[in-house]
């Protein structure tokens, strides 16, 4: 699959400037670990639980759907604030749609699923897959309590493509210990087909065990060749080799 300069230019425009116009909690340097995987994961739909105002979701759409060929999913309680148990952020549907549109994405290609994620069932997963196929990237950033986080990760696993990536926000954030507890409980109690791959910029990435070794090498080699100032450390998490990535945050380096 050929990812041409136009694709990189569109994404870089958002990461350099557009991302600053959207409120939320992700940084451009996160794409140092995403970009080398894109040609291997492939283009396709993306999804996020806990979209807030769309900061990360917009970047993911520009990454995995640069020409607007796919339909995506934004899952949030939105105005159902009685289910926002940890008060981590208040999703605003009108603001989300405005941000999506302002950054050149057709709002009709992003289905807004208004729900408490604990109510999502196998039938909901089947419906999402039937409508758009399996997701290439799924961001878990909803309620950070243990029960919600475990549920949301397992739901993501049920709808992700085997080549896809799952991102878990606030994995090591001391203000949200429920995320680390949830991940620890999952991997200490049983095995899953998706396993820890990389930790960077406050997020833990999971990938299929089938692609784990390949993706790990792709990320390490890409960072060494294109971002030599980024820190790389191999770390074992729950028995799996992973890489901890520490970019320099002072400036944004364009994708190479």
């Amino acid at each position: 699959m050929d990812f041409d300069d136009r694709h990189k230019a569109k994404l870089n425009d958002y990461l350099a400037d557009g991302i600053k116009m959207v409120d939320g909690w992700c940084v451009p340097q996160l794409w140092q670990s995403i970009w080398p995987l894109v040609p291997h994961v492939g283009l396709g739909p993306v999804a996020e639980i806990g979209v807030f105002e769309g900061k990360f979701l917009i970047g993911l759409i520009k990454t995995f759907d640069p020409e607007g060929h796919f339909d995506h999913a934004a899952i949030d309680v939105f105005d159902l604030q009685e289910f926002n148990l940890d008060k981590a952020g208040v999703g605003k549907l009108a603001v989300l749609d405005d941000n999506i549109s302002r950054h050149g994405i057709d709002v009709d290609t992003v289905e807004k699923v208004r729900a408490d994620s604990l109510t999502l069932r196998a039938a909901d997963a089947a419906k999402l897959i039937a409508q758009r196929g399996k997701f290439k990237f799924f961001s878990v950033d909803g309620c950070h309590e243990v029960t919600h986080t475990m549920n949301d990760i397992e739901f993501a696993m049920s709808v992700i493509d085997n080549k896809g990536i799952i991102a878990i926000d606030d994995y090591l954030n001391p203000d949200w210990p429920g995320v680390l507890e949830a991940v620890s409980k999952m991997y200490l109690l049983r095995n899953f087909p998706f396993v820890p791959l990389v930790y960077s910029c406050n997020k833990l990435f999971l990938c299929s065990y089938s692609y784990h070794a390949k993706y790990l090498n792709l990320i390490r080699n890409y960072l060494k060749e294109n971002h030599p100032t980024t820190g790389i450390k191999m770390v074992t998490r729950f028995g799996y080799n992973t890489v901890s990535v520490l970019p320099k945050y002072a400036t944004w380096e364009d994708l190479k």
Side-chain angles (χ1 to χ4, degrees), residues 23-253:
D23 199 8
W25 303 275
C26 78
V27 295
Q29 287 81 0
L30 186 62
W31 270 261
Q32 291 181 10
S33 298
I34 297 175
W35 183 251
L37 300 178
V38 177
H40 306 274
V41 172
L43 301 183
V46 301
E48 183 169 37
I49 293 178
V51 296
F52 192 52
E53 297 186 9
K55 193 182 193 81
F56 191 34
L57 182 65
I58 292 169
L60 292 177
I61 293 173
K62 287 184 173 291
T63 304
F64 291 93
D65 188 16
E67 301 298 331
H69 293 319
F70 303 99
D71 291 324
H72 313 282
I75 304 167
D76 202 292
V77 296
F78 293 116
D79 61 312
L80 301 176
Q81 285 301 300
E82 64 268 32
F83 300 115
N84 186 11
L85 301 185
D86 65 354
K87 309 300 180 187
V90 179
K92 303 169 185 176
L93 183 55
V95 176
L96 173 64
D97 277 346
D98 182 61
N99 285 334
I100 289 171
S101 180
R102 282 195 301 121
H103 289 92
I105 299 167
D106 184 348
V107 295
D108 291 335
T109 65
V110 182
E111 180 183 359
K112 272 67 71 174
V113 181
R114 176 176 168 267
D116 172 9
S117 62
L118 286 184
T119 67
L120 298 175
R121 299 290 184 265
D124 300 294
K127 180 180 178 182
L128 287 171
I129 294 171
Q131 291 174 338
R132 56 186 51 76
K134 290 195 171 184
F135 294 99
K136 296 295 187 176
F137 198 107
F138 197 114
S139 168
V140 173
D141 193 10
C143 179
H144 287 8
E145 293 192 357
V146 176
T147 300
H148 280 80
T149 304
M150 293 176 69
N151 177 81
D152 294 353
I153 294 170
E154 292 204 56
F155 183 80
M157 289 183 185
S158 73
V159 297
I160 194 76
D161 186 273
N162 194 46
K163 291 184 177 181
I165 300 295
I166 297 170
I168 305 167
D169 190 55
D170 284 321
Y171 171 63
L172 295 181
N173 190 332
D175 291 336
W176 306 107
V179 178
L180 176 58
E181 183 178 344
V183 174
S184 299
K185 281 185 173 180
M186 290 180 68
Y187 286 101
L188 290 173
L189 290 175
R190 55 174 282 207
N191 294 322
F192 290 90
F194 278 72
V195 301
L197 173 69
V198 58
Y199 174 77
S200 180
C201 306
N202 205 35
K203 296 182 187 290
L204 178 69
F205 289 2
L206 310 179
C207 75
S208 168
Y209 183 71
S210 300
Y211 292 95
H212 182 267
K214 177 180 180 179
Y215 286 1
L216 196 63
N217 285 330
L218 286 169
I219 292 171
R220 292 174 63 197
N221 292 337
Y222 175 82
L223 291 173
K224 288 177 181 178
E225 292 174 9
N226 296 286
H227 298 283
T229 63
T230 291
I232 305 172
K233 181 176 175 58
M234 294 302 299
V235 178
T236 301
R237 288 186 173 88
F238 309 108
Y240 301 100
N241 292 327
T242 68
V243 59
S244 289
V245 178
L246 184 61
K248 299 293 184 183
Y249 288 103
T251 58
W252 163 238
E253 299 175 70

